[in-house]
Amino acid sequence: MIASLWFCLRILVAWVLALIVLGVLWSNLFGGPGAIFVLLVVGLLVLAAINTASHLRRVKLVAGRLDHDSLSSRQQRRIELPLDATQAFALVESVVAGLPRVMDIESSPGSLQVRARIARADSYNTRPPSRWNPLAWLAVKRDRVSATVTPGEGTSSVALLFEPDAGAWVDLLLADEGSNRENADAMSRALGQRVAEQRRDERESAARTEAEKELSVARLNLLHAQVEPHFLYNTLANAQVLTRTDPERAERMLGHLIQYLRSSLPGIDQSLSTLGQELERVQAYLEILRIRMGERLAVQVDVPEALRDVALPSMALQTLVENAIKHGLEPKSGGGTIWLLAREADGQVHITVADDGRGFGGSSSGTGIGLKNLRERLRLTCGPEAAFALVSNFPSGAAATLTLPHKGALPPELPHAS
């Protein structure tokens, strides 16, 4: 109440002083004040009173209270945003551009400042003040908004200033009917809403990422469960036969089978392995097949020691070797050779399993379930940087190549397919 009375008294005193000065000028120009001057003074005082009362009522509706801060035609706000300076500036710039009747926007990313003008409308019918209104001759047609972003550590502070687009004299004679208070509240709400929307989007994105991760792990579990070496049954059956016909070969076959299982079982619940672990498993597997196939199978391995820590999907090398044996060398009457090669180039490791078997002219075109499974596991475990290619080998056979990023040893935080 005191603030309202003080505001009205300040406006009244300012008008009285202004009219006294006007009366002195009138007397010097036209002689003593006459009826016209009196009517002019009364009219101006009435309109000033109406403007003041309208301002009080409008501020009461907008702010819900009447105090010094809410009655002022110049409003300040300081808002903390949980964003870095660049993001905060872009947000403030967007909100300023979205204010009603905004114009003449000046944006300076270098100094982190945004300035604009806002056309002032009648608070009750949203039309510009009438030109027949004497106060409209002196009335301020626009307001100004100025926003400055101050960087912080992980946050940014935004200083907002809303004021009439005129000098300080206007505060003594005319009130803005709460227009700057309304602009300040509108921008504060908009900034709060935008930050809340951004945080909600981040939470939803995190939830989607977590759900996608769980789905990927579930799919990886299913795919990994499908990677079961079918040759185990044949190996045990062959060993059983050899125990009666060739016990020495049976003993060597069982020894390699034990080595194969020893290298396979510790990582059976893991989605990723290393090239060294995969190579140990595959060499044991090939030794078993060499006992079965005899001289029809030859193996050449060329894998540098420095690349044995490269991470790749578990059983990936096994899948490629099985595919080469099943579709390349076993159908070929004379058998052939399998090459296991690894090379590094441009930060990537290329692992190749090649054979000189029947190639694509046989029963396989490289689109079977095993390779499809491998491609999916490669995507889930190694991401978009990994690639798989299957091409013809010269002069016969096929060559399958895994391209993997060389990131060192197997990361401890990689998900397990349990």
Side-chain angles (χ1 to χ4, degrees), residues 204-219:
E204 292 176 354
S205 177
R208 286 195 301 269
T209 301
E210 184 65 24
E212 290 172 358
K213 179 181 177 182
E214 293 177 359
L215 178 61
S216 296
V217 172
R219 294 174 64 188

Side-chain angles (χ1 to χ4, degrees), residues 24-346:
V24 172
L25 293 176
W26 186 283
S27 298
N28 292 332
L29 294 176
F30 306 106
I36 296 178
F37 180 79
V38 172
L39 290 176
L40 178 62
V41 168
V42 172
L44 290 175
L45 289 176
V46 170
L47 291 176
I50 293 175
N51 175 252
T52 303
S54 177
H55 179 76
L56 294 175
R57 176 177 173 79
R58 183 63 180 172
V59 169
K60 178 66 174 178
L61 292 174
V62 173
R65 66 182 189 278
L66 295 175
D67 54 24
H68 175 73
D69 292 335
S70 60
L71 288 172
S72 175
S73 295
R74 301 178 189 270
Q75 297 287 322
Q76 290 182 324
R77 296 289 187 276
R78 183 169 292 275
I79 301 175
E80 298 294 326
L81 298 179
L83 305 170
D84 61 38
T86 302
Q87 293 175 320
F89 178 80
L91 178 61
V92 170
E93 186 179 33
S94 174
V95 170
V96 169
L99 291 174
R101 303 179 305 279
V102 70
M103 62 180 67
D104 302 333
I105 299 176
E106 299 178 2
S107 178
S108 177
S111 60
L112 298 178
Q113 288 185 316
V114 180
R115 295 175 180 173
R117 291 182 174 86
I118 302 174
R120 185 180 293 184
D122 188 284
S123 302
Y124 300 98
N125 58 24
T126 68
R127 293 197 306 268
S130 172
R131 63 179 179 176
W132 302 110
N133 182 353
L135 285 181
W137 303 339
L138 300 175
V140 178
K141 305 296 192 301
R142 293 173 298 187
D143 294 315
R144 289 198 303 258
V145 55
S146 175
T148 303
V149 178
T150 303
E153 295 183 1
T155 62
S156 298
S157 177
V158 182
L160 302 173
L161 176 62
F162 302 85
E163 57 185 344
D165 189 21
W169 64 268
V170 74
D171 296 339
L172 300 175
L173 300 176
L174 297 174
D176 67 349
E177 295 186 347
S179 63
N180 282 292
R181 173 78 191 202
E182 192 172 15
N183 292 335
D185 290 347
M187 188 160 180
S188 299
R189 288 194 304 271
L191 287 173
Q193 180 184 6
R194 293 287 189 88
V195 172
E197 290 176 352
Q198 183 171 340
R199 288 292 175 261
R200 184 175 64 250
D201 293 342
E202 290 175 354
R203 289 194 298 270
E204 292 176 354
S205 177
R208 286 195 301 269
T209 301
E210 184 65 24
E212 290 172 358
K213 179 181 177 182
E214 293 177 359
L215 178 61
S216 296
V217 172
R219 294 174 64 188
L220 188 59
N221 291 341
L222 177 61
L223 293 169
H224 189 74
Q226 296 173 356
V227 182
E228 185 67 26
H230 302 289
F231 82 102
L232 284 176
Y233 303 105
N234 293 332
T235 301
L236 292 174
N238 289 335
Q240 184 179 28
V241 172
L242 289 175
T243 54
R244 295 191 295 267
T245 61
D246 193 341
E248 183 179 352
R249 289 178 63 196
E251 183 178 358
R252 284 193 291 117
M253 179 176 286
L254 290 175
H256 290 306
L257 179 60
I258 292 172
Q259 182 182 355
Y260 173 85
L261 294 175
R262 183 182 293 115
S263 62
S264 300
L265 292 179
I268 196 169
D269 63 339
Q270 294 183 342
S271 61
L272 282 179
S273 181
T274 64
L275 179 55
Q277 295 170 345
E278 291 296 296
L279 191 60
E280 182 181 354
R281 179 188 297 126
V282 165
Q283 286 178 318
Y285 166 76
L286 289 172
E287 288 298 326
I288 295 173
L289 291 184
R290 288 179 67 180
I291 295 175
R292 287 172 48 191
M293 298 177 63
E295 296 181 355
R296 295 179 60 240
L297 176 61
V299 178
Q300 295 188 19
V301 179
D302 185 5
V303 178
E305 188 68 29
L307 299 182
R308 290 177 179 258
D309 64 346
V310 174
L312 72 162
S314 180
M315 300 295 290
L317 202 61
Q318 176 88 16
T319 299
L320 298 180
V321 171
E322 286 182 356
N323 200 65
I325 295 292
K326 179 179 178 181
H327 300 291
L329 299 184
E330 279 190 341
K332 186 177 179 181
S333 59
T337 303
I338 283 186
W339 290 270
L340 303 177
L341 309 171
R343 293 289 183 270
E344 182 180 12
D346 299 328

Side-chain angles (χ1 to χ4, degrees), residues 329-409:
L329 299 184
E330 279 190 341
K332 186 177 179 181
S333 59
T337 303
I338 283 186
W339 290 270
L340 303 177
L341 309 171
R343 293 289 183 270
E344 182 180 12
D346 299 328
Q348 292 182 316
V349 177
H350 306 278
I351 303 171
T352 300
V353 176
D355 66 81
D356 57 358
R358 298 184 61 182
F360 295 134
S363 60
S364 175
S365 60
T367 58
I369 186 64
L371 296 184
K372 181 180 179 181
N373 189 326
L374 174 61
R375 287 187 176 94
E376 182 70 1
R377 295 175 62 234
L378 188 67
R379 183 185 68 82
L380 292 174
T381 55
C382 298
E385 297 179 353
F388 173 73
L390 180 63
V391 298
S392 296
N393 193 24
F394 181 81
S396 64
T401 300
L402 294 173
T403 300
L404 305 167
H406 191 190
K407 298 180 179 178

